């Protein structure tokens, strides 16, 4: 199993980051008096308020923390009943009616927990300080940016894989958070104590998020059968791969529950696809370029369990997908599910196969591969 990309909406990850300590103030204003002393109003309270007409922001100062809130952003995010539907959590204000050049006529503390703003469009807003203190410009697109990924190779032995208790994770949110954080950071975790009840895996998934439905269902048992529709249901060996490669969206996290093990052998193999991708980027740029730019078709054909009609799933995607910030975002590799059609010219076909072989050889390198035998009750 390859490490893939997964994203959980972890709470309490983001923190308010102070902006620069230097501000420029302008003696010009909008033709309105913000205070009797000029265009900048400063209240000597536990939270100081500054109206900065140069940057068109309201600045909050509290101790060493300084937060800039643009005029237009504040007006747009008014939380009064005329502008915001609280139970739906959505704006009522229409964009076409929003004055882009709106500015505050007066700003003051409503109480210790909120401020009032009187606007040039004749509206008055009240903002909880907690809302404003959580502001960050620019905001992080990925809520998990504060958690660094840790790439691993064969040094990740069984005793070093983060291990948790099913009971702890299901009964204590602090343990749940620790498990999710470790899963995001390392890409692999072990959960003990699930027992042999298949429903425990569903309980775990439901405790975290909404399981995704697939052509196999939201959960399914992997058993060998003579009428297999997937190699996973046969006794044939499977190379390192990521599952459900034929979907345009891959699984963010995949949970595997060992319920019964009655055979000899049965080792599970794991490798960190992200680590290998970065190694190739550094050591073999030509191979990395092919793997990160050439779309590969993955296909799956089956019969719907209810309608009994045939279906065909196909998704084109490069084996290594990079983000806009040039970081590895996803790894999708399932050689046995690759389609016959290819996205390259005849002269480049062999180059693609060579790149895939290089990638697979790197995964199986003794520096990258780990093997372990799952015991009943492990996830």
């Amino acid at each position: 199993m390859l490490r893939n990309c997964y994203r959980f909406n972890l709470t309490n990850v983001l923190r308010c980051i102070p902006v620069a300590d230097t501000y420029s103030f302008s003696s010009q204003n909008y033709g309105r008096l913000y205070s009797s002393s000029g265009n900048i109003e400063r209240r000597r309270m536990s939270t100081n308020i500054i109206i900065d007409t140069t940057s068109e922001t309201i600045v909050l100062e509290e101790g060493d923390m300084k937060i800039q809130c643009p005029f237009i952003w504040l007006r747009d995010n008014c939380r009064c009943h005329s502008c915001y539907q609280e139970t739906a959590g959505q704006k009522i204000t229409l964009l076409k009616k929003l004055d882009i050049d709106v500015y505050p006529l007066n700003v003051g503390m409503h109480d210790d927990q909120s401020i009032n703003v009187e606007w040039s469009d004749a509206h008055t807003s009240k903002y909880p300080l907690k809302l404003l203190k959580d502001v960050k410009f620019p905001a992080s697109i990925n809520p998990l940016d504060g958690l660094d990924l840790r790439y691993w190779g064969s040094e990740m032995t069984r005793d070093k894989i983060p291990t948790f208790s099913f009971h702890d994770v299901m009964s204590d949110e602090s343990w749940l958070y620790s498990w999710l954080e470790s899963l995001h950071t390392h890409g692999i975790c072990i959960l003990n104590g699930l027992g042999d009840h298949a429903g425990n895996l569903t309980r775990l998934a439901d405790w975290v998020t909404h399981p995704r439905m697939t052509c196999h269902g939201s959960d399914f048992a992997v058993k060998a059968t003579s009428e297999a529709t997937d190699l996973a249901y046969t006794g044939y060996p499977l190379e390192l791969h990521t599952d459900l490669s034929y979907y345009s969206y891959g699984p963010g996290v995949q949970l595997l529950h060992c319920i019964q093990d009655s055979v000899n052998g049965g080792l599970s193999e794991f490798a960190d696809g992200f680590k290998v991708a970065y190694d190739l980027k550094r050591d073999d740029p030509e191979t990395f370029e092919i793997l990160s730019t050439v779309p590969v078709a993955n296909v799956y054909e089956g019969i719907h369990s209810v309608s009994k009609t045939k279906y065909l799933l196909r998704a084109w995607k490069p084996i290594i997908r990079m983000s806009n910030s040039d970081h590895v975002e996803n790894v999708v590799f399932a050689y046995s599910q690759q389609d016959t059609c290819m996205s390259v010219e005849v002269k480049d076909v062999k180059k693609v196969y060579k790149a895939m072989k290089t990638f697979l050889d790197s995964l199986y390198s003794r520096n990258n591969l780990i093997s372990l035998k799952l015991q009943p009750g492990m996830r």
Side-chain angles (χ1 to χ4, degrees):
M1 183 67 67
L2 291 182
R3 177 181 189 169
N4 199 351
C5 183
Y6 41 84
R7 293 291 181 261
F8 275 115
N9 186 19
L10 303 186
T11 58
N12 299 326
V13 173
L14 297 181
R15 294 291 184 270
C16 184
I17 298 179
V19 296
D21 293 331
T22 303
Y23 300 91
S24 297
F25 302 110
S26 170
S27 60
Q28 299 177 351
N29 56 39
Y30 291 88
R32 298 293 191 274
L33 292 179
Y34 297 124
S35 69
S36 59
S37 59
N39 71 315
I40 298 176
E41 179 178 339
R42 185 184 296 268
R43 301 291 178 87
R44 294 298 180 186
M45 301 179 182
S46 58
T47 300
N48 294 323
I49 306 172
I50 304 170
I51 299 177
D52 184 350
T53 59
T54 301
S55 64
E56 297 189 17
T57 61
I58 291 178
V59 182
L60 303 180
E61 291 182 342
E62 187 172 301
D64 295 331
M65 184 173 61
K66 298 180 178 69
I67 303 170
Q68 286 181 303
C69 302
F71 294 166
I72 183 61
W73 178 88
L74 273 172
R75 179 62 186 89
D76 181 43
N77 286 280
C78 177
R79 289 298 189 256
C80 77
H81 296 307
S82 300
C83 299
Y84 188 77
Q85 216 293 329
E86 187 171 354
T87 58
Q90 296 175 342
K91 302 174 187 176
I92 301 174
T93 305
L94 301 178
L95 179 59
K96 65 180 179 180
K97 293 185 177 180
L98 186 64
D99 180 5
I100 299 298
D101 298 316
V102 70
Y103 56 88
L105 300 178
N106 188 40
V107 181
M109 294 294 298
H110 175 76
D111 51 38
D112 291 340
Q113 302 299 323
S114 60
I115 65 171
N116 278 346
V117 180
E118 297 177 12
W119 294 104
S120 58
D121 63 358
H123 189 75
T124 299
S125 303
K126 184 175 75 171
Y127 299 95
L129 286 177
K130 184 180 184 305
L131 171 68
L132 304 184
K133 290 177 181 179
D134 287 340
V135 173
K136 178 185 174 184
F137 292 98
S140 173
I141 297 176
N142 176 10
L144 302 183
D145 277 346
L147 298 177
D148 294 330
L149 300 184
R150 299 180 185 175
Y151 310 112
W152 46 266
S154 56
E155 77 283 353
M156 180 68 86
T157 52
R158 168 65 181 84
D159 59 311
K160 292 182 180 179
I161 298 176
T163 302
F164 297 85
S165 159
F166 173 68
H167 175 269
D168 290 343
V169 168
M170 294 297 295
S171 60
D172 189 326
E173 289 192 352
S174 63
W175 279 112
L176 172 65
Y177 182 89
S178 296
W179 171 58
L180 295 177
E181 183 179 28
S182 294
L183 189 57
H184 170 80
T185 302
H186 297 89
I188 184 173
C189 284
I190 292 176
L191 209 60
N192 289 323
L194 272 77
D196 59 2
H197 192 296
N200 283 339
L201 191 66
T202 301
R203 287 179 56 206
L204 176 64
D206 288 339
W207 177 227
V208 178
T209 185
H210 302 289
R212 284 178 173 172
M213 182 60 66
T214 73
C215 56
H216 306 289
S218 59
D219 63 272
F220 47 91
V222 179
K223 296 180 180 179
T225 174
S226 59
E227 299 180 355
T229 58
D230 192 294
L231 282 182
Y233 303 123
T234 72
Y236 291 109
L238 291 174
E239 293 178 317
L240 286 168
H241 63 281
T242 56
D243 283 342
L244 303 176
S245 60
Y246 37 82
Y247 276 94
S248 57
Y249 60 89
V253 173
Q254 190 159 358
L255 306 178
L256 306 175
H257 182 191
C258 180
I259 296 177
Q260 184 178 19
D261 178 22
S262 59
V263 299
N264 294 323
L267 282 178
S268 295
E269 297 177 325
F270 300 89
D272 188 343
F274 281 32
K275 175 185 180 297
V276 172
Y278 280 121
D279 287 347
L280 289 174
K281 184 181 180 183
R282 180 191 64 231
D283 302 330
D284 192 347
E286 182 179 354
T287 294
F288 178 83
E289 178 71 14
I290 293 173
L291 296 174
S292 61
T293 59
V294 175
V296 174
N298 298 282
V299 66
Y300 184 81
E301 186 174 359
I303 299 177
H304 197 279
S305 59
V306 177
S307 65
K308 305 303 179 183
T309 56
K310 290 185 177 182
Y311 61 84
L312 179 70
L313 300 172
R314 180 187 286 116
W316 290 85
K317 58 187 78 172
I319 291 172
I320 300 172
R321 188 176 70 198
M322 303 296 290
S323 68
N324 293 333
S325 56
D326 202 33
H327 290 93
V328 176
E329 192 171 68
N330 204 355
V331 173
V332 178
F333 185 65
Y335 174 71
S336 65
Q337 295 171 348
Q338 289 178 6
D339 202 359
T340 55
C341 50
M342 299 186 69
S343 62
V344 296
E345 302 286 345
V346 170
K347 62 182 179 62
D348 295 322
V349 168
K350 189 173 182 178
K351 295 179 182 177
V352 174
Y353 275 93
K354 181 181 178 182
M356 291 192 298
K357 286 268 292 180
T358 299
F359 183 64
L360 184 68
D361 290 343
S362 297
L363 292 170
Y364 276 102
S365 164
R366 69 179 192 177
N367 294 324
N368 293 320
L369 185 69
I370 63 173
S371 301
L372 60 95
K373 188 175 180 64
L374 295 179
Q375 302 298 325
M378 289 176 60
R379 196 293 305 161

